[in-house]
Amino acid sequence: MANYQTRHIRDECNCLDVSIPVEEMTRIVTEGDVPLVSIHPQAHGIIDLCVSRATNATDYVAFSHVWSNGLGNPQGNSLPQCQLEYFADAFVEAGWDRARLFWIDTLCIPINQAALKTKAINQMGLIYSAASSVFVLDAELQQIRVSETADHSHMLALQAHILTSAWMGRSWTLQEGALAKACSFAFADGIQHMRSSLPDLERYSLATKKSNGDRLGMLSNLISSRGLQEP
Ligand SMILES: [Zn+2]
């Protein structure tokens, strides 16, 4: 963990980290609620992060990422500005508002207070299942150009990429996806939305009790049956 490097969009980038209002986020977690973040551009190319409290009716996306890809930060509740700009651009690409409310562990789980950290982690099932969509970031998928796959095999090819991705291979991130009402996957040239439904969840909970091989088979069926929506 000491050697963990939070990554920028490009290796040569040296933009500054943007922190969320930590006290406000911590207060919301302390009170048993869920903090959400939104991105707001300021003058001179600076961006600000605002925190708000989720209610039962709040529409938000929850990020699910592969920790080793560099979107974590063991030092603070902050991320490089370029990554946050990427989030905002991706929201627009997905047809959402630039300032869409979102949840990401790196910004929304207090890092320095063990009891609060546990409290926030215990909320994660609820956070992912209540999100309008789970936004999946996997470095490998983000390199793939959807537009270069042939029309007929297009969706099958995307499904194959997702099934073999690092994101899919980790039970933690997989669980986040399985809890979701819908998943949105970031590819190099666009966002692909995938539906989800309650029966899938039941099948997933069965799948988790089986061996890894069986689980992959179940998930393959699960993804096929959900189908990826055409953009
Ligand atoms: Zn940067």
Side-chain angles (χ1 to χ4, degrees):
M1 187 73 94
N3 296 326
Y4 186 88
Q5 281 279 320
T6 303
R7 298 190 67 173
H8 291 251
I9 291 288
R10 289 183 312 280
D11 288 343
E12 67 274 20
C13 181
N14 58 2
C15 69
L16 295 176
D17 279 6
V18 182
S19 177
I20 65 157
V22 175
E23 271 182 35
E24 209 175 327
M25 179 273 285
T26 305
R27 183 169 357 108
I28 293 171
V29 174
T30 307
E31 291 168 5
D33 288 329
V34 174
L36 297 172
V37 190
S38 54
I39 298 168
H40 301 273
Q42 303 298 319
H44 311 296
I46 306 257
I47 59 172
D48 261 358
L49 294 177
C50 294
V51 175
S52 44
R53 190 184 300 256
T55 69
N56 288 342
T58 311
D59 180 8
Y60 68 95
V61 287
F63 279 98
S64 177
H65 60 102
V66 180
W67 182 262
S68 60
N69 288 171
L71 268 180
N73 185 357
Q75 315 298 333
N77 294 114
S78 62
L79 279 169
Q81 171 153 339
C82 61
Q83 294 285 9
L84 297 166
E85 281 166 353
Y86 173 84
F87 290 0
D89 289 346
F91 292 160
V92 173
E93 187 90 37
W96 301 327
D97 195 275
R98 232 184 143 67
R100 184 163 177 58
L101 289 167
F102 67 93
W103 185 93
I104 185 166
D105 52 1
T106 312
L107 300 177
C108 300
I109 297 182
I111 57 163
N112 290 324
Q113 301 173 51
L116 273 190
K117 194 170 172 179
T118 306
K119 193 168 184 169
I121 289 171
N122 288 339
Q123 292 176 321
M124 283 173 70
L126 173 72
I127 289 164
Y128 282 98
S129 56
S132 304
S133 184
V134 169
F135 203 105
V136 177
L137 294 174
D138 173 295
E140 204 179 307
L141 295 179
Q142 288 172 272
Q143 299 297 317
I144 293 167
R145 299 191 71 79
V146 172
S147 55
E148 285 168 10
T149 53
D151 259 5
H152 180 62
S153 60
H154 177 78
M155 288 299 145
L156 276 179
L158 290 189
Q159 288 170 7
H161 284 308
I162 291 168
L163 272 176
T164 55
S165 67
W167 179 79
M168 197 54 134
R170 282 168 168 73
S171 60
W172 185 254
T173 47
L174 186 56
Q175 187 186 1
E176 294 166 3
L179 288 170
K181 292 175 191 150
C183 281
S184 304
F185 291 86
F187 287 90
D189 54 353
I191 311 298
Q192 295 286 328
H193 300 295
M194 192 173 83
R195 292 179 303 272
S196 184
S197 63
L198 202 58
D200 291 337
L201 269 181
E202 287 162 8
R203 290 165 62 185
Y204 172 77
S205 67
L206 274 177
T208 54
K209 296 191 181 91
K210 291 176 176 272
S211 71
N212 275 346
D214 286 347
R215 186 163 64 166
L216 196 60
M218 295 283 276
L219 283 162
S220 170
N221 292 338
L222 187 156
I223 286 223
S224 310
S225 67
R226 285 167 162 179
L228 284 160
Q229 294 171 336
E230 293 287 353

